[in-house]
Structure formats: structure tokens, C-alpha cells
Amino acid sequence: MSSPEPGHAQAGRALADPAPVFAALGDTTRLKLVSRLGDGQAHSIAQLTDGLELTRQGVTKHLRVLEQAGLVRSSRVGRESRFTYVPEPIEDARSYLDSVSEQWDDALSRLKSFIES
Amino acid sequence: MSSPEPGHAQAGRALADPAPVFAALGDTTRLKLVSRLGDGQAHSIAQLTDGLELTRQGVTKHLRVLEQAGLVRSSRVGRESRFTYVPEPIEDARSYLDSVSEQWDDALSRLKSFIES
DNA sequence: GATAAACGCAACCAGAGGGTTGCTTATGAA
DNA sequence: TTCATAAGCAACCCTCTGGTTGCGTTTATC
């Protein structure tokens, strides 16, 4: 019993510490990257750089951040590195937020029934 | 039309740019604070500091971050500042993650039906 | 084989972040 | 009124972050 709080541990996975995932999502550029990778296809760095107004190196850095948070996986194919979306961490983050909302709802209904009694 | 990607805009609110909310959640201490505030009660800074191994000033800074992200609201009552949970931003973040997952699922099923054809 | 494309590595920079300490101010309780 | 509690303000610290540039390396392509 020492997870970062949200009581009822929820159904699914363990989700050790969701903070790094949220931190990785806490940047507009990275959100765009995640979204673009959400199409299920593998994309090269050059591809992903296109449309974003920053250097390829900048994009690379962001991709490494996403990769370290487990949101994305990379593999070298020929002369390019292909990045693909990994769904699990976002599922985990989602269920974490679910548990927070649930906790909140429970607190509210308890409060309500207390007032009405 | 210039939101940070996820196509189908989703049902609910506008959710301008979810990045700041995720960034605010991207810290273990702040997650603990949010969770503790999720009980629906108002808590003073001293209360919230208790149990966390850092200074009251440190906690205050984190609370200001949460407040600026809209996750929390503060009001002065007597000599103490009371912080309370605000549910909307987390709802928004949740539905954003929903839209990402949905996009991913759609992509997968399209791929699958393409293979099978 | 020469050229171009796609990338990795390293250095560097300014600014934000997480944290502390010290001191002052407001408010409540004795 | 005096004393203790709760908090605000400001300065300071070090580290991480987002971004750049420059250059070297591998892989295609002509």
C-alpha cells in the first residue's frame, strides 16, 4: 500500500507511477506527435518533423521523451528510425484519471446523502 | 480548426489545449495533492503539507501550479488558505485521452479489415 | 563512386522548475 | 495584549528542458 494515493487501485494494470506519462503529455508538440502516431502507422523522424515548426533535432528530443515514457517505440529500418504508437501507457493514464473522477463522485454523493439525512 | 490534432473534437467541452493540465499532473507530489483534494473537502496548506516530505513553501508552489492549471481553487478563510478540487479540467483531460485511444482503435480496425479483404 | 537523404552525437544556451531559507504580515487564542 | 499559528513574499540554488547549431556517419540512389 504505497501507490500515489487514488484509493481503490482500479480494475486494470498496476500503473506504478503515472506522473512520468502525464509529464510526457504535458507539451503541445508532444501531443501533436502522439496524435500523429495514433494513426497506427510507423513514421520516420523526417516525416514527423514536417509540419512542426522546429528542427529535426528538436523533434528527435521530444520523441526520445515519449519513448522513455513508454508512449512510443522506435526501430531502425534502413537509414531511417521509425516510431510507432504504444497504447498501454495512455490506457493506464486514462484509468488513473477515471479513479480520480470516481473518488470525486463518491465524495460528492456521500456529502449529498449526509446533507439529506 | 486548429486544435492540437485529435480529429473528431469529441462530444463535450472545447478543451482548448490539454497540455498544461497534463503538465500539472506530471509530478508525483502534485498527483498526491490532487488525490488528497479529491475527497471533496477543503484543505489548508498546513494540512496538505503534513505527510509530504517537503517544506510548506514547496507545497505552496505546487498548489499554485495546480491552481493555474485550473485543477484547484483557493480562497482565504480567516488566517488560512483553503484549497478545493475542481473536476472539469480532469474530465477534459480524460476525454482527450479517450479521443486518442479511440483514434488508435479506429486505425487498428481499419488495418484489420484491410488485411482481411 | 559520388551525391543526397536520414539520422546520431555533442556542445551550447536561456529559461522554467522544484526546492530551500529567511523574514514579514495577518489572524486566532490565552 | 501577548503569543503562536498560517501563510505570503523574495531571494537564491541547482537541475532539467526545450531549443538551437555544427559535424560526423550510415544508407540509398544516380
Side-chain angles (χ1 to χ4, degrees):
Chain A
M1 222 165 285
S2 66
S3 50
E5 306 299 311
H8 334 279
Q10 196 74 359
R13 288 165 282 276
L15 71 146
D17 183 11
V21 175
F22 287 128
L25 294 174
D27 179 283
T28 308
T29 301
R30 286 197 292 268
L31 282 184
K32 289 182 188 168
L33 288 172
V34 166
S35 165
R36 201 175 298 189
L37 288 166
D39 67 358
Q41 309 279 340
H43 295 270
S44 72
I45 297 180
Q47 263 174 47
L48 292 169
T49 300
D50 193 67
L52 300 181
E53 296 183 344
L54 70 161
T55 318
R56 170 183 59 91
Q57 291 303 332
V59 174
T60 300
K61 282 198 178 182
H62 282 298
L63 287 171
R64 297 303 169 198
V65 172
L66 290 174
E67 186 177 27
Q68 216 187 341
L71 293 167
V72 131
R73 183 177 297 121
S74 81
S75 64
R76 200 78 195 250
V77 176
R79 67 179 160 183
E80 52 187 20
S81 0
R82 301 248 174 91
F83 285 81
T84 58
Y85 180 78
V86 175
E88 286 80 7
I90 283 196
E91 293 298 324
D92 292 352
R94 208 163 59 127
S95 73
Y96 182 87
L97 293 187
D98 282 348
S99 76
V100 173
S101 293
E102 191 186 343
Q103 182 197 5
W104 167 254
D105 289 340
D106 290 356
L108 269 205
S109 62
R110 265 196 296 279
L111 180 61
K112 203 178 163 205
S113 69
F114 170 76
I115 291 180
E116 287 170 351
S117 69
Chain B
M1 218 143 294
S2 66
S3 51
E5 305 300 307
H8 334 279
Q10 196 73 1
R13 287 165 282 274
L15 73 145
D17 184 12
V21 175
F22 287 127
L25 294 174
D27 179 283
T28 308
T29 301
R30 285 196 292 267
L31 282 184
K32 289 182 188 167
L33 288 172
V34 166
S35 164
R36 200 174 300 189
L37 288 166
D39 67 357
Q41 309 278 341
H43 296 270
S44 71
I45 296 180
Q47 264 175 47
L48 293 169
T49 300
D50 193 67
L52 300 181
E53 294 182 345
L54 69 160
T55 319
R56 171 181 57 89
Q57 291 302 332
V59 175
T60 300
K61 282 199 179 183
H62 283 298
L63 287 170
R64 295 305 169 198
V65 172
L66 290 174
E67 185 176 28
Q68 215 187 341
L71 293 167
V72 130
R73 183 177 297 120
S74 81
S75 64
R76 200 80 196 251
V77 176
R79 65 180 161 183
E80 54 187 20
S81 308
R82 300 248 174 91
F83 284 81
T84 58
Y85 180 78
V86 176
E88 287 82 5
I90 283 198
E91 293 298 325
D92 293 351
R94 205 162 60 126
S95 73
Y96 182 87
L97 294 186
D98 282 348
S99 75
V100 173
S101 293
E102 191 186 343
Q103 181 197 5
W104 166 255
D105 290 340
D106 291 356
L108 269 205
S109 62
R110 266 195 296 278
L111 180 61
K112 203 179 166 205
S113 68
F114 169 77
I115 291 179
E116 287 169 352
S117 70

